[in-house]
Amino acid sequence: MSPSLVAIVMAAGKGTRMKSDLPKVLHEVAGEPLLGHVLLTLRQLETDAIYVIVGHGAEQVRAFLPENVTPVEQLEQLGTGHAVDQVTPFLDQYTGDVLILSGDVPLLTAETLRGMKQEHEAERAVLTMLSTTLNEPTGYGRIVRDETGRVTGVVEQKDATPAQKAITECNLGTYLASWPHLRDTLAKLTPNNAQGEYYLTDAIAHLVHGGHGVVSHCTSDALEGEGVNTRAQLAKLQGIYQQRTAEFWMAAGVTIVNPHSTIIGPKVSLGVDTILEPGTILLGETKVGERCVIGAYSQLRDVTCDDDVHILHSYLSQATVGRGSHVGPYAHLRQGAQLGKKVRLGNFVEVKKSVLKDGAKAAHLAYLGDAEVGCNVNIGCGVITVNYDGKKKSPTVIRDNAFVGSNSNLIAPVTIGEAGFVAAGSTITQDVPAGALAIGRGRQVTKEGWVAQREENALASSP
Ligand code: UD1
Ligand code: CA
């Protein structure tokens, strides 16, 4: 049997300095909550269970958690030691290791956690903590060692003596520990310190005192362990996250014209030879194929684009775009917009809950909602599917090769048959059979000489 691993994510703190009604761990970096980043990292490791300690804004945090994660409520936030202790009833019989993380540390990577685990095993340690050396260590707990260099404990900034404050090795707040050993020390913690809290870090001195091995896994990348306490830190980590993801995708064969203005979420995937122009924002479960051009100033959230797609200056959400299609500039694809191959959508075209099959075109100023648009259909400028009567939505079906002339209103429910032709300016209220022409507009009346006549009448009636 492989050694077991349980993860505990501390996320109950208030995050006072964020000055926010939203729990701190739900603030976002690249469209994903801080806590989401931590859970995505954990997904890359083999864990038997994940517990998240919730407290402030518990309802909101619970609502965010995926099914495989167990929330554990910490009713009062009495410190990090108290937070971890909340899991004790769940791990009664458990004898494996626990990985303890904070929910507000978005840049931590699975690679670093694996390195920590290797060192933990090689050193046969009972507890291994992630550390880094900083010239500016203020705020962090400092790692205290004896004359032989062995870790003896961690002292918090607020409790440190001037000599301890001069220590530059900092505790990053990520730990791997043997659960039975750690659990026994949690019961020994007391809040006799500057903050009146049960410090998880005090467990270290207890373990060392009991003769157990504690080591630190020192990383040169302090940013990986950096938590968010303020909005300024959120913006800082957002910037670093952007730079790192851009580097990752560029190394994978994606051109990113201006990484500083490009945001790529952690669940996004991109194909080779795709070009991201400046101002591009790709969020959620967005997948972009090969040789696509996305830009400039486009936002895609939960969008799937096949290969060779061009999207320019457009907003897409919960949509799919087929191979070789062109979208924008200024197009808006909403929930359930599905474009087939080589579809062309131009400026100011909005599509919602509609399927446009291969080769369909709507080049300018159109609204397509609850519609099925067949292959090679031409939607003229200004066409509107009138899908809503104020109470309910109704479908519009436009069959293959139909032509819908400019500025037509299709009053749903309605069907335009195959190769049907709707004359420009029509308001269509009845189905149009295949191959038929439908004209639904007032007849033009032309009055010869009317303008001159009006002038004469005006002169005659003046005094
Ligand atoms: C903690 C460490 C410190 C380390 C630093 C790294 C302790 C006592 N100190 O300090 O050595 O350098 O992290 O960032 O652990 N939390 C709860 N419940 C609580 C208290 C905290 O869930 O009762 C959560 C917070 O939401 C946060 C995490 O635990 O996600 C860390 O707590 P925080 O108060 O930020 O600890 P630090 O003072 O930063
Ligand atoms: Ca902190």
Side-chain angles (χ1 to χ4, degrees):
M1 205 182 91
S2 66
S4 36
L5 183 65
V6 161
I8 301 172
V9 183
M10 296 182 288
K14 185 164 192 293
T16 312
R17 287 188 283 156
M18 295 297 282
K19 302 216 170 94
S20 176
D21 290 334
L22 189 69
K24 180 170 78 175
V25 292
L26 296 186
H27 282 264
E28 294 180 355
V29 162
E32 180 71 25
L34 296 170
L35 180 56
H37 283 270
V38 175
L39 296 177
L40 284 168
T41 299
L42 286 177
R43 214 156 74 176
Q44 298 173 53
L45 303 174
E46 277 180 37
T47 52
D48 300 294
I50 300 173
Y51 297 95
V52 173
I53 313 297
V54 298
H56 275 281
E59 280 319 301
Q60 281 165 283
V61 178
R62 272 173 199 273
F64 167 73
L65 296 177
E67 266 176 21
N68 63 335
V69 171
T70 308
V72 177
E73 188 127 3
Q74 184 192 21
L75 290 172
E76 273 186 289
Q77 284 70 56
L78 303 179
T80 47
H82 181 256
V84 172
D85 197 28
Q86 304 309 300
V87 180
T88 302
F90 294 81
L91 297 179
D92 203 19
Q93 306 293 322
Y94 183 65
T95 56
D97 284 345
V98 288
L99 176 63
I100 301 169
L101 311 158
S102 288
D104 59 358
V105 180
L107 300 184
L108 190 64
T109 61
E111 197 186 339
T112 295
L113 294 174
R114 283 190 203 106
M116 197 172 147
K117 192 165 188 286
Q118 271 169 16
E119 185 154 357
H120 182 71
E121 283 161 8
E123 297 283 335
R124 298 175 176 276
V126 153
L127 184 143
T128 301
M129 68 187 130
L130 190 64
S131 75
T132 194
T133 301
L134 293 175
N135 295 328
E136 261 304 323
T138 308
Y140 284 96
R142 310 295 209 287
I143 297 181
V144 183
R145 294 173 184 270
D146 65 12
E147 14 354 297
T148 67
R150 273 190 333 141
V151 172
T152 56
V154 169
V155 61
E156 292 304 297
Q157 168 84 25
K158 287 182 178 148
D159 301 290
T161 62
Q164 288 169 330
K165 280 185 185 142
I167 298 172
T168 53
E169 193 188 358
C170 300
N171 169 29
L172 290 176
T174 298
Y175 317 85
L176 183 61
S178 149
W179 175 247
H181 291 89
L182 181 66
R183 182 194 51 208
D184 290 348
T185 61
L186 292 177
K188 296 179 190 157
L189 299 180
T190 62
N192 301 330
N193 51 56
Q195 302 185 79
E197 290 182 1
Y198 295 89
Y199 290 163
L200 179 59
T201 43
D202 283 352
I204 289 160
H206 284 292
L207 287 171
V208 173
H209 204 73
H212 302 295
V214 174
V215 297
S216 75
H217 179 69
C218 196
T219 169
S220 56
D221 182 5
L223 291 165
E224 270 207 38
E226 191 158 326
V228 171
N229 297 302
T230 63
R231 305 222 188 208
Q233 272 176 315
L234 186 68
K236 174 188 167 189
L237 294 188
Q238 167 74 46
I240 291 155
Y241 176 85
Q242 266 174 245
Q243 186 197 325
R244 291 185 176 183
T245 35
E247 276 162 18
F248 172 86
W249 286 114
M250 289 189 289
V254 174
T255 292
I256 301 178
V257 177
N258 181 0
H260 299 291
S261 68
T262 305
I263 298 178
I264 305 168
K267 292 183 276 192
V268 170
S269 73
L270 303 168
V272 295
D273 286 326
T274 277
I275 299 172
L276 304 184
E277 291 183 347
T280 302
I281 300 177
L282 306 175
L283 303 175
E285 311 245 2
T286 290
K287 287 190 184 62
V288 177
E290 300 183 356
R291 297 175 303 279
C292 295
V293 178
I294 313 287
Y297 304 100
S298 293
Q299 179 165 331
L300 280 63
R301 186 185 279 271
D302 300 320
V303 170
T304 300
C305 296
D306 204 335
D307 298 336
D308 303 300
V309 162
H310 285 221
I311 291 176
L312 189 59
H313 214 321
S314 291
Y315 187 92
L316 290 78
S317 163
Q318 297 175 56
T320 60
V321 181
R323 182 183 287 253
S325 291
H326 283 231
V327 174
Y330 314 111
H332 185 188
L333 271 63
R334 290 158 57 202
Q335 178 220 344
Q338 292 177 49
L339 311 188
K341 293 180 197 134
K342 295 200 171 169
V343 168
R344 166 87 182 96
L345 295 189
N347 40 211
F348 305 109
V349 173
E350 177 178 346
V351 179
K352 184 220 74 171
K353 251 192 183 170
S354 294
V355 178
L356 279 78
K357 295 191 182 155
D358 299 353
K361 279 189 211 65
H364 353 251
L365 301 160
Y367 172 62
L368 299 167
D370 304 294
E372 189 190 310
V373 177
C375 293
N376 304 316
V377 164
N378 187 81
I379 302 287
C381 177
V383 169
I384 289 171
T385 55
V386 185
N387 62 330
Y388 186 52
D389 62 7
K391 292 213 164 64
K392 63 175 191 319
K393 304 277 169 67
S394 301
T396 300
V397 178
I398 305 170
R399 302 231 189 266
D400 293 352
N401 303 313
F403 183 97
V404 183
S406 292
N407 218 36
S408 294
N409 303 311
L410 307 177
I411 314 277
V414 73
T415 297
I416 313 296
E418 188 171 341
F421 197 106
V422 172
S426 292
T427 294
I428 298 297
T429 54
Q430 292 159 19
D431 289 353
V432 176
L437 166 70
I439 308 177
R441 63 192 180 206
R443 253 177 206 284
Q444 181 170 329
V445 176
T446 307
K447 298 189 175 179
E448 293 285 354
W450 179 88
V451 174
Q453 188 63 56
R454 185 174 66 161
E455 294 296 312
E456 269 173 41
N457 291 349
L459 279 176
S461 61
S462 65

